[in-house]
Amino acid sequence: MRDELLQRYADLVVEVGANVQPGQIVSVQADTEAAPFARLIAASAYRHGARFVDPNYVDTYVKRARLEHAAEDTLDYVPPWYGERLLAHGEHHAARISIVPNPSLGILDGIDPKRAAKDALPFLPETFQVINARTTNWTVVAYPTAAWAGVVHPELDAEAALERLWQEVEHVCRLDEPDAGAAWGQQRDELRAVAERLTERHFDALHLEGPGTDLTLGLLPGSVWAGGGDTNADGIEHLSNLPTEEVFTAPDPQRADGVVRATKPLVLAGSTLEGLTVRFEGGRAMQIDADANAEVLRGHSELDDGAARLGEVALVDAAGRIGKLGTTFFTTLLDENAASHLALGNAYERSAPEDVERLNRSAVHIDFMFGGDDVSVTGIAQDAARIPVLRAGKWQL
Amino acid sequence: MRDELLQRYADLVVEVGANVQPGQIVSVQADTEAAPFARLIAASAYRHGARFVDPNYVDTYVKRARLEHAAEDTLDYVPPWYGERLLAHGEHHAARISIVPNPSLGILDGIDPKRAAKDALPFLPETFQVINARTTNWTVVAYPTAAWAGVVHPELDAEAALERLWQEVEHVCRLDEPDAGAAWGQQRDELRAVAERLTERHFDALHLEGPGTDLTLGLLPGSVWAGGGDTNADGIEHLSNLPTEEVFTAPDPQRADGVVRATKPLVLAGSTLEGLTVRFEGGRAMQIDADANAEVLRGHSELDDGAARLGEVALVDAAGRIGKLGTTFFTTLLDENAASHLALGNAYERSAPEDVERLNRSAVHIDFMFGGDDVSVTGIAQDAARIPVLRAGKWQL
């Protein structure tokens, strides 16, 4: 039963997520815990004509040993061949498939968060360069493990927790539909329609209001909203996130004022931040608080100038499958698609060419959720008119 | 019990095998099946002051999918960043630890050997370049898995087979000694003494005689015999093989005449060759036969000009721990240290500088065993005198 589901899931990742083309090199990045899924994806890619599958396993146990024992001034070291390999994937116009959570959840429990914040691997800053060059067709997908299921459903025994998590992933990936590929075609069309309507409004700013949240963030004159996947420079359509429920754009990094309260926990460098609030002035995060581990995000936000400014605002309505589950997955891929979110750090280049220079630049990109049924989103037009965008989780456009 | 042994083994690999130095980058290459051992080695390396551990997992299941599904004309493709990473380890003067068997034994059963011969990964031709530059301190070590134990001890049930294989590895790695590090110091001294005596003889050739074997192979005027580990360009002593029982040199690739019969099975590209015989004329392998799968070695021997000529002759006496076990491990690291052996393909640069140009060059290096108690080795001096070297497994020098 699980085997049959895993096989269909692997095929969906290859066909719809990355949309692997005959003759392509296919990078598969996975935690060692996800090896069973990586192997099925690799086999599916070869059946679809891949020239070479390049498995790239990341071992969270080795990362833990580093954080426990290595000298503190070495923890931010990344061998140059890590980024070079990723850039080579871009140069070879590879398909890229990343399996999350990575690092694996649970294995870094108890590590000093200040040390953990210094080691961003497996994340590489070159990721933005490759994504923005649009040379690869890529996707990020999730693989339920026992350890992850235990974090998500601690109230269940191990077997039941894993079964529940699998049911949820099957549902949100639309693998419970008779034709998952067709279901994703429909979802893609709907998200693209919403993104187009938002782009056409040319809002000057967005106003976010909810419990603990009152934030106005500026948009750039040429802001383009995206959603429902991407088409790369070679004309290959792909779903960068599988599942995806969001539409998003890059805000003006110089204009954000007010406070935003996260509505989901943020998992960062192995630490969980609950009750996160961020206060912005002039586009810059001036104050970061949380019930615990706030110092982890503070550390990240100090890594470079752009790390304390916004690189993304994404909107998710309440019709999506993820938010309805009411589950916190402690994994950005799923949680960010459950609710509207902001990201500190680097922007994806989705704006008009004249705005590209103004987008936020950073070595980091950290999403945190602010959305929910009690959070409203209002567009502020160039003439200062207030246009409802989201009310009680429903699109108003 | 096993945990305690594994921990001591990992420390031996780090301290005596690779001799990891504080501040070094440490490459750990392993099949995904060997992840538990790779993690202990990584943790030990960090405790010994490693700057960064670079785990490089190879997945034999992904290799199998490639051999099953990929187009035949793509099977010899190796992405350029594979070799570049290895060369970077050399440029960074890293420690390099390889865990074998890799690819994992058993997983490639039933694959067409002609297709298998085209995909040499995880082997990389750049290996010789890095070894001969002596920029890294490196070691090759073995990790018993259930699948490997089943191949080695098919007469035992799974648990007993794994237990037996662990006992054997513990013994041959001298982990059953009160101080394994001291035991390896003694073994190193003994092998170095034998190698020195062989070098001082300046033999013109060696004559191998035994059942099915009558081969004369020429040595170069400046042949230097090595054994008992290496000292790299930075003066770091390391045991390139753990365990090691051999002394070896690079022969004259233009002079080998006669026939040699292998005394152990050769495992190559996932195929097992039993009853291997190779006939040489003028240094070149002219005829390769075996009870089965001879075409796998024939395919490898045709890869380039040096692949059909000798790059190594190694002598092992009967006092070693591996040969006494009488076990065939189907893994070169252990089997080559059980018996004297030859290698087709690339030579390690152990000769006098004036001979380096004459050494065999190839993209491959394939060891096969010819030694045993009924195989004698005779040195032929420059004046044609015949000097006994090995008789009934005992050194005669």
Side-chain angles (χ1 to χ4, degrees), chain A residues 284-314:
Chain A
R284 188 170 177 79
M286 306 299 284
Q287 193 178 340
I288 294 172
D289 293 298
D291 298 342
N293 297 324
E295 65 275 17
V296 182
L297 182 56
R298 287 185 202 128
H300 276 82
S301 74
E302 290 163 7
L303 281 176
D304 54 40
D305 185 60
R309 296 181 182 273
L310 292 173
E312 180 186 359
V313 55

mmCIF file of all heavy atoms in Angstrom, chain A residues 284-314:
data_model
loop_
_atom_site.group_PDB
_atom_site.id
_atom_site.type_symbol
_atom_site.label_atom_id
_atom_site.label_comp_id
_atom_site.label_asym_id
_atom_site.label_seq_id
_atom_site.Cartn_x
_atom_site.Cartn_y
_atom_site.Cartn_z
ATOM 1 N N ARG A 284 13.368 47.762 7.900
ATOM 2 C CA ARG A 284 14.357 46.967 8.615
ATOM 3 C C ARG A 284 13.746 46.346 9.880
ATOM 4 O O ARG A 284 13.019 47.012 10.618
ATOM 5 C CB ARG A 284 15.522 47.875 9.009
ATOM 6 C CG ARG A 284 16.692 47.136 9.591
ATOM 7 C CD ARG A 284 17.919 48.024 9.746
ATOM 8 N NE ARG A 284 18.964 47.234 10.373
ATOM 9 C CZ ARG A 284 19.701 46.356 9.717
ATOM 10 N NH1 ARG A 284 19.556 46.210 8.425
ATOM 11 N NH2 ARG A 284 20.585 45.622 10.362
ATOM 12 N N ALA A 285 14.051 45.059 10.111
ATOM 13 C CA ALA A 285 13.598 44.391 11.334
ATOM 14 C C ALA A 285 14.425 44.934 12.495
ATOM 15 O O ALA A 285 15.631 44.698 12.566
ATOM 16 C CB ALA A 285 13.772 42.878 11.226
ATOM 17 N N MET A 286 13.765 45.709 13.401
ATOM 18 C CA MET A 286 14.488 46.363 14.490
ATOM 19 C C MET A 286 14.409 45.550 15.772
ATOM 20 O O MET A 286 15.230 45.736 16.667
ATOM 21 C CB MET A 286 13.905 47.755 14.746
ATOM 22 C CG MET A 286 13.843 48.636 13.504
ATOM 23 S SD MET A 286 15.484 48.940 12.800
ATOM 24 C CE MET A 286 16.104 50.158 13.975
ATOM 25 N N GLN A 287 13.377 44.709 15.896
ATOM 26 C CA GLN A 287 13.199 43.962 17.141
ATOM 27 C C GLN A 287 12.605 42.602 16.816
ATOM 28 O O GLN A 287 11.604 42.494 16.102
ATOM 29 C CB GLN A 287 12.260 44.741 18.071
ATOM 30 C CG GLN A 287 12.254 44.215 19.490
ATOM 31 C CD GLN A 287 11.332 45.047 20.389
ATOM 32 O OE1 GLN A 287 11.003 46.198 20.064
ATOM 33 N NE2 GLN A 287 10.908 44.453 21.494
ATOM 34 N N ILE A 288 13.238 41.554 17.329
ATOM 35 C CA ILE A 288 12.790 40.174 17.096
ATOM 36 C C ILE A 288 12.610 39.516 18.456
ATOM 37 O O ILE A 288 13.547 39.458 19.252
ATOM 38 C CB ILE A 288 13.824 39.382 16.259
ATOM 39 C CG1 ILE A 288 13.923 39.975 14.850
ATOM 40 C CG2 ILE A 288 13.455 37.896 16.195
ATOM 41 C CD1 ILE A 288 15.036 39.388 14.003
ATOM 42 N N ASP A 289 11.378 39.063 18.732
ATOM 43 C CA ASP A 289 11.108 38.393 20.009
ATOM 44 C C ASP A 289 10.396 37.073 19.746
ATOM 45 O O ASP A 289 9.772 36.869 18.700
ATOM 46 C CB ASP A 289 10.227 39.279 20.894
ATOM 47 C CG ASP A 289 10.954 40.543 21.332
ATOM 48 O OD1 ASP A 289 11.974 40.416 22.032
ATOM 49 O OD2 ASP A 289 10.515 41.647 20.929
ATOM 50 N N ALA A 290 10.503 36.155 20.714
ATOM 51 C CA ALA A 290 9.814 34.869 20.616
ATOM 52 C C ALA A 290 9.754 34.277 22.011
ATOM 53 O O ALA A 290 10.458 34.736 22.924
ATOM 54 C CB ALA A 290 10.548 33.924 19.673
ATOM 55 N N ASP A 291 8.881 33.283 22.219
ATOM 56 C CA ASP A 291 8.795 32.636 23.522
ATOM 57 C C ASP A 291 10.119 31.951 23.872
ATOM 58 O O ASP A 291 10.499 31.883 25.041
ATOM 59 C CB ASP A 291 7.661 31.598 23.520
ATOM 60 C CG ASP A 291 6.310 32.247 23.258
ATOM 61 O OD1 ASP A 291 6.221 33.486 23.419
ATOM 62 O OD2 ASP A 291 5.366 31.536 22.887
ATOM 63 N N ALA A 292 10.810 31.451 22.843
ATOM 64 C CA ALA A 292 12.129 30.836 23.055
ATOM 65 C C ALA A 292 12.891 30.876 21.743
ATOM 66 O O ALA A 292 12.295 30.939 20.665
ATOM 67 C CB ALA A 292 11.977 29.380 23.522
ATOM 68 N N ASN A 293 14.207 30.864 21.831
ATOM 69 C CA ASN A 293 15.097 30.741 20.670
ATOM 70 C C ASN A 293 15.091 31.956 19.730
ATOM 71 O O ASN A 293 15.557 31.852 18.589
ATOM 72 C CB ASN A 293 14.771 29.483 19.850
ATOM 73 C CG ASN A 293 14.986 28.211 20.655
ATOM 74 O OD1 ASN A 293 15.905 28.138 21.471
ATOM 75 N ND2 ASN A 293 14.131 27.231 20.462
ATOM 76 N N ALA A 294 14.604 33.103 20.223
ATOM 77 C CA ALA A 294 14.609 34.300 19.372
ATOM 78 C C ALA A 294 16.014 34.607 18.877
ATOM 79 O O ALA A 294 16.205 35.145 17.775
ATOM 80 C CB ALA A 294 14.037 35.492 20.136
ATOM 81 N N GLU A 295 17.032 34.249 19.676
ATOM 82 C CA GLU A 295 18.408 34.585 19.309
ATOM 83 C C GLU A 295 18.845 33.885 18.016
ATOM 84 O O GLU A 295 19.749 34.354 17.325
ATOM 85 C CB GLU A 295 19.381 34.260 20.454
ATOM 86 C CG GLU A 295 19.511 32.792 20.805
ATOM 87 C CD GLU A 295 18.433 32.313 21.771
ATOM 88 O OE1 GLU A 295 17.406 33.022 21.913
ATOM 89 O OE2 GLU A 295 18.609 31.237 22.366
ATOM 90 N N VAL A 296 18.192 32.753 17.686
ATOM 91 C CA VAL A 296 18.560 32.062 16.445
ATOM 92 C C VAL A 296 18.207 32.930 15.243
ATOM 93 O O VAL A 296 19.017 33.138 14.339
ATOM 94 C CB VAL A 296 17.857 30.691 16.353
ATOM 95 C CG1 VAL A 296 18.285 29.968 15.073
ATOM 96 C CG2 VAL A 296 18.172 29.843 17.575
ATOM 97 N N LEU A 297 16.989 33.491 15.246
ATOM 98 C CA LEU A 297 16.592 34.349 14.129
ATOM 99 C C LEU A 297 17.365 35.670 14.176
ATOM 100 O O LEU A 297 17.765 36.199 13.134
ATOM 101 C CB LEU A 297 15.083 34.615 14.152
ATOM 102 C CG LEU A 297 14.551 35.462 12.995
ATOM 103 C CD1 LEU A 297 14.911 34.843 11.642
ATOM 104 C CD2 LEU A 297 13.045 35.652 13.100
ATOM 105 N N ARG A 298 17.599 36.183 15.379
ATOM 106 C CA ARG A 298 18.405 37.416 15.470
ATOM 107 C C ARG A 298 19.776 37.193 14.835
ATOM 108 O O ARG A 298 20.272 38.032 14.083
ATOM 109 C CB ARG A 298 18.583 37.837 16.931
ATOM 110 C CG ARG A 298 17.323 38.409 17.559
ATOM 111 C CD ARG A 298 17.606 38.920 18.988
ATOM 112 N NE ARG A 298 16.356 38.976 19.748
ATOM 113 C CZ ARG A 298 16.172 38.431 20.944
ATOM 114 N NH1 ARG A 298 17.186 37.797 21.556
ATOM 115 N NH2 ARG A 298 15.012 38.516 21.556
ATOM 116 N N GLY A 299 20.371 36.045 15.150
ATOM 117 C CA GLY A 299 21.682 35.715 14.576
ATOM 118 C C GLY A 299 21.627 35.699 13.055
ATOM 119 O O GLY A 299 22.484 36.286 12.378
ATOM 120 N N HIS A 300 20.618 35.030 12.518
ATOM 121 C CA HIS A 300 20.492 34.981 11.058
ATOM 122 C C HIS A 300 20.278 36.371 10.472
ATOM 123 O O HIS A 300 20.800 36.693 9.409
ATOM 124 C CB HIS A 300 19.324 34.062 10.658
ATOM 125 C CG HIS A 300 19.695 32.613 10.599
ATOM 126 N ND1 HIS A 300 19.754 31.812 11.712
ATOM 127 C CD2 HIS A 300 20.041 31.818 9.556
ATOM 128 C CE1 HIS A 300 20.108 30.583 11.357
ATOM 129 N NE2 HIS A 300 20.287 30.562 10.062
ATOM 130 N N SER A 301 19.488 37.205 11.162
ATOM 131 C CA SER A 301 19.140 38.511 10.594
ATOM 132 C C SER A 301 20.336 39.455 10.593
ATOM 133 O O SER A 301 20.301 40.508 9.955
ATOM 134 C CB SER A 301 17.982 39.138 11.378
ATOM 135 O OG SER A 301 18.447 39.600 12.640
ATOM 136 N N GLU A 302 21.407 39.072 11.301
ATOM 137 C CA GLU A 302 22.600 39.927 11.345
ATOM 138 C C GLU A 302 23.682 39.462 10.379
ATOM 139 O O GLU A 302 24.767 40.027 10.325
ATOM 140 C CB GLU A 302 23.168 39.944 12.773
ATOM 141 C CG GLU A 302 22.267 40.711 13.741
ATOM 142 C CD GLU A 302 22.581 40.401 15.205
ATOM 143 O OE1 GLU A 302 23.579 39.704 15.465
ATOM 144 O OE2 GLU A 302 21.802 40.857 16.071
ATOM 145 N N LEU A 303 23.383 38.400 9.607
ATOM 146 C CA LEU A 303 24.423 37.822 8.751
ATOM 147 C C LEU A 303 24.864 38.790 7.660
ATOM 148 O O LEU A 303 26.028 38.830 7.275
ATOM 149 C CB LEU A 303 23.934 36.519 8.115
ATOM 150 C CG LEU A 303 23.996 35.314 9.061
ATOM 151 C CD1 LEU A 303 23.412 34.080 8.398
ATOM 152 C CD2 LEU A 303 25.438 35.051 9.504
ATOM 153 N N ASP A 304 23.928 39.566 7.121
ATOM 154 C CA ASP A 304 24.293 40.602 6.159
ATOM 155 C C ASP A 304 23.186 41.656 6.175
ATOM 156 O O ASP A 304 22.179 41.504 6.878
ATOM 157 C CB ASP A 304 24.536 40.027 4.753
ATOM 158 C CG ASP A 304 23.367 39.207 4.238
ATOM 159 O OD1 ASP A 304 22.203 39.612 4.454
ATOM 160 O OD2 ASP A 304 23.610 38.163 3.606
ATOM 161 N N ASP A 305 23.358 42.736 5.385
ATOM 162 C CA ASP A 305 22.432 43.858 5.474
ATOM 163 C C ASP A 305 21.022 43.461 5.058
ATOM 164 O O ASP A 305 20.038 43.871 5.657
ATOM 165 C CB ASP A 305 22.926 45.012 4.590
ATOM 166 C CG ASP A 305 22.046 46.244 4.766
ATOM 167 O OD1 ASP A 305 21.969 46.733 5.917
ATOM 168 O OD2 ASP A 305 21.420 46.666 3.784
ATOM 169 N N GLY A 306 20.899 42.609 4.026
ATOM 170 C CA GLY A 306 19.578 42.240 3.529
ATOM 171 C C GLY A 306 18.859 41.231 4.411
ATOM 172 O O GLY A 306 17.649 41.016 4.239
ATOM 173 N N ALA A 307 19.563 40.633 5.333
ATOM 174 C CA ALA A 307 18.953 39.575 6.146
ATOM 175 C C ALA A 307 17.919 40.127 7.121
ATOM 176 O O ALA A 307 17.114 39.373 7.669
ATOM 177 C CB ALA A 307 20.034 38.804 6.913
ATOM 178 N N ALA A 308 17.916 41.446 7.369
ATOM 179 C CA ALA A 308 16.935 42.053 8.260
ATOM 180 C C ALA A 308 15.830 42.761 7.477
ATOM 181 O O ALA A 308 15.014 43.472 8.061
ATOM 182 C CB ALA A 308 17.630 43.032 9.211
ATOM 183 N N ARG A 309 15.807 42.588 6.162
ATOM 184 C CA ARG A 309 14.780 43.227 5.322
ATOM 185 C C ARG A 309 13.973 42.153 4.588
ATOM 186 O O ARG A 309 14.391 41.002 4.468
ATOM 187 C CB ARG A 309 15.420 44.192 4.322
ATOM 188 C CG ARG A 309 16.121 45.360 5.017
ATOM 189 C CD ARG A 309 16.735 46.337 4.027
ATOM 190 N NE ARG A 309 17.436 47.395 4.741
ATOM 191 C CZ ARG A 309 16.845 48.519 5.185
ATOM 192 N NH1 ARG A 309 15.553 48.723 4.965
ATOM 193 N NH2 ARG A 309 17.536 49.416 5.845
ATOM 194 N N LEU A 310 12.815 42.585 4.047
ATOM 195 C CA LEU A 310 11.897 41.618 3.443
ATOM 196 C C LEU A 310 12.253 41.320 1.988
ATOM 197 O O LEU A 310 12.551 42.222 1.209
ATOM 198 C CB LEU A 310 10.453 42.138 3.524
ATOM 199 C CG LEU A 310 9.873 42.198 4.942
ATOM 200 C CD1 LEU A 310 8.510 42.881 4.924
ATOM 201 C CD2 LEU A 310 9.751 40.795 5.544
ATOM 202 N N GLY A 311 12.200 40.039 1.639
ATOM 203 C CA GLY A 311 12.449 39.609 0.272
ATOM 204 C C GLY A 311 11.240 38.969 -0.377
ATOM 205 O O GLY A 311 11.255 38.694 -1.582
ATOM 206 N N GLU A 312 10.189 38.712 0.395
ATOM 207 C CA GLU A 312 9.022 38.045 -0.171
ATOM 208 C C GLU A 312 7.796 38.322 0.684
ATOM 209 O O GLU A 312 7.882 38.361 1.909
ATOM 210 C CB GLU A 312 9.248 36.522 -0.240
ATOM 211 C CG GLU A 312 8.053 35.749 -0.817
ATOM 212 C CD GLU A 312 8.223 34.226 -0.752
ATOM 213 O OE1 GLU A 312 9.275 33.754 -0.281
ATOM 214 O OE2 GLU A 312 7.291 33.517 -1.163
ATOM 215 N N VAL A 313 6.656 38.544 0.004
ATOM 216 C CA VAL A 313 5.359 38.462 0.674
ATOM 217 C C VAL A 313 4.511 37.501 -0.150
ATOM 218 O O VAL A 313 4.458 37.595 -1.375
ATOM 219 C CB VAL A 313 4.683 39.839 0.835
ATOM 220 C CG1 VAL A 313 4.546 40.577 -0.491
ATOM 221 C CG2 VAL A 313 3.312 39.679 1.500
ATOM 222 N N ALA A 314 3.897 36.531 0.529
ATOM 223 C CA ALA A 314 3.113 35.502 -0.155
ATOM 224 C C ALA A 314 1.740 35.415 0.498
ATOM 225 O O ALA A 314 1.618 35.508 1.719
ATOM 226 C CB ALA A 314 3.822 34.150 -0.076
#
